């Protein structure tokens, strides 16, 4: 039986969920924020065809289903690249 997912995630809980779901090997909340700032196809924000962030206290939350879909359907993201040493 799989654990029920929350309806919304923050950058912190979203990073943890990506690892739990096996979509990335590792990622930090700051790494996730970096993707949000730099990826042109990031689905959340204030622009046209973007899903709004939902403020909860001091945090911006994202709808979990759309968040996971972005990482399932897009190119590999998050985490540190291969060790080149």
């Amino acid at each position: 039986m799989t654990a029920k997912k929350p309806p919304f995630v923050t950058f912190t809980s979203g990073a943890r969920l990506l690892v739990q779901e096996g979509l990335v090997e590792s990622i930090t909340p700051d790494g996730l924020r970096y993707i949000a700032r730099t990826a042109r196809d990031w689905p959340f924000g204030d622009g046209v065809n973007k899903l709004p962030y939902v403020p909860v206290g001091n945090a911006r939350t994202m709808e979990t289903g759309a968040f996971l879909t972005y990482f399932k359907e897009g190119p590999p993201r998050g985490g540190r690249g291969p060790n080149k040493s």
Side-chain angles (χ1 to χ4, degrees):
M1 182 173 167
T2 60
K4 185 175 178 184
K5 294 174 188 65
F8 294 92
V9 293
T10 64
F11 287 98
T12 300
S13 63
R16 193 170 35 246
L17 183 60
L18 291 175
V19 173
Q20 288 172 352
E21 292 288 310
L23 296 172
V24 297
E25 187 174 313
S26 68
I27 192 167
T28 64
D30 284 337
L32 191 52
R33 287 183 192 96
Y34 177 79
I35 292 171
R37 283 192 311 272
T38 60
R40 291 179 182 245
D41 63 343
W42 183 248
F44 302 96
D46 295 328
V48 176
N49 297 324
K50 300 280 185 178
L51 299 169
Y53 288 109
V54 178
V56 175
N58 292 333
R60 291 180 294 167
T61 67
M62 301 159 279
E63 193 276 316
T64 303
F67 175 80
L68 290 175
T69 297
Y70 176 75
F71 284 91
K72 287 177 182 175
E73 294 180 356
R77 304 177 191 269
R80 195 177 102 105
N83 186 352
K84 296 181 181 177
S85 58

